Amino acid sequence: MESDKTKAAGTSTAEAAKTAVKKSTARSPITTGQNVMTDNSSVNRDYSQEATKEGALYKFFLDGLKDMYFAEKHILEVLPKMKEAATTGDLQDAFEDHHLVTQKQVSRLEKVFKSIGESPEAKKCDAIIGIVKAGENIIKETEEGTMTRDTALIIAAQKVEHYEIASYRGLVALAETLQQDRAADLLHQTLEEEEETDLDLTDIAESSINFHAAEEDDENDNDTD
Ligand SMILES: [Fe+2]
């Protein structure tokens, strides 16, 4: 039988990583928040009270959803600016595609709220405001039409993605712990999309942009010699 290693050979680094992500993020009983909490004998406490709607864990989960509802809407506002600032068509297309995906993620979060009997509500998230602001500064600090700008935009966008990945991973585990299966499924779909976006951005960077950005640097060095 063909091994996974053989299958990955010949594909790009990002493609191989995508396969690995799919495997690592598949929802298995071992990785669910519920098992993390109940299988660990050193953390032997009763979560039944916290799992109720009055419980601290539920409130923390709900707060996390509000946080991400704010974050996704904030990201929707900035993606068109990032697309306009990008130099290459590949990166412009990636930002445009992610805008569409983000719109769906906002609707999906509304379904998550509904699935737990809550109304969608956004709560100001200082973390995403800061990360997005850093991305906007990159546009001011880099020259229009350069590959250096694209490299910097990709890194900025990946910082956003990594914040989202960490947040959604936590929310999936919390939803499972709280036995909110529908919410867990929906949140897991979004988690997979964020991970794929992160890998797509790596793919774009590795395929040519980083190389051309380094060439630009060399040209600039030669000009100043
Ligand atoms: Fe998102």
Side-chain angles (χ1 to χ4, degrees):
M1 214 172 82
E2 197 183 14
S3 71
D4 287 340
K5 237 181 186 171
T6 318
K7 276 186 209 159
T11 59
S12 71
T13 315
E15 279 301 315
K18 269 182 209 173
T19 312
V21 161
K22 286 236 157 121
K23 281 182 186 165
S24 72
T25 61
R27 289 178 58 207
S28 76
I30 299 164
T31 56
T32 61
Q34 194 173 6
N35 279 298
V36 166
M37 290 178 174
T38 55
D39 286 351
N40 187 343
S41 55
S42 66
V43 188
N44 191 19
R45 54 182 294 193
D46 179 9
Y47 280 87
S48 55
Q49 177 55 35
E50 289 181 65
T52 65
K53 284 206 167 186
E54 286 71 42
L57 205 59
Y58 179 83
K59 287 194 177 96
F60 186 62
F61 174 62
L62 188 57
D63 254 21
L65 291 178
K66 290 177 184 176
D67 189 280
M68 289 316 291
Y69 194 53
F70 176 92
E72 295 290 11
K73 288 184 161 193
H74 194 58
I75 292 163
L76 270 183
E77 285 171 25
V78 80
L79 277 168
K81 291 183 206 166
M82 292 177 85
K83 183 198 160 188
E84 206 177 303
T87 303
T88 57
D90 277 357
L91 190 55
Q92 288 171 353
D93 290 347
F95 286 142
E96 188 170 330
D97 287 350
H98 195 55
H99 193 266
L100 295 173
V101 170
T102 304
Q103 282 175 329
K104 282 186 200 158
Q105 291 174 345
V106 169
S107 309
R108 194 178 291 134
L109 273 173
E110 287 163 1
K111 285 183 194 161
V112 174
F113 280 108
K114 200 175 166 195
S115 77
I116 58 170
E118 304 282 351
S119 300
E121 195 185 317
K123 184 180 164 194
K124 188 179 168 196
C125 169
D126 291 328
I128 201 70
I129 290 172
I131 298 170
V132 163
K133 180 114 185 77
E136 286 175 328
N137 287 343
I138 276 167
I139 299 173
K140 287 183 209 146
E141 289 161 9
T142 53
E143 203 178 320
E144 193 181 340
T146 62
M147 292 297 185
T148 304
R149 174 177 283 183
D150 275 14
T151 300
L153 281 173
I154 287 173
I155 293 168
Q158 285 187 304
K159 286 179 184 173
V160 173
E161 287 309 313
H162 287 211
Y163 177 77
E164 291 187 282
I165 289 166
S167 302
Y168 281 115
R169 202 168 277 162
L171 286 170
V172 169
L174 280 173
E176 288 174 343
T177 301
L178 294 164
Q179 298 180 340
Q180 298 288 348
D181 293 343
R182 173 76 179 137
D185 282 343
L186 290 164
L187 291 164
H188 191 259
Q189 282 174 43
T190 300
L191 172 62
E192 281 196 330
E193 287 172 356
E194 306 295 9
E195 286 172 327
E196 284 199 20
T197 299
D198 180 41
L199 292 170
D200 285 343
L201 288 167
T202 297
D203 209 9
I204 293 170
E206 285 180 352
S207 63
S208 71
I209 289 175
N210 287 351
F211 173 74
H212 289 302
E215 276 189 335
E216 255 171 24
D217 243 14
D218 285 345
E219 279 166 25
N220 289 339
D221 283 350
N222 290 337
D223 288 349
T224 53
D225 283 347

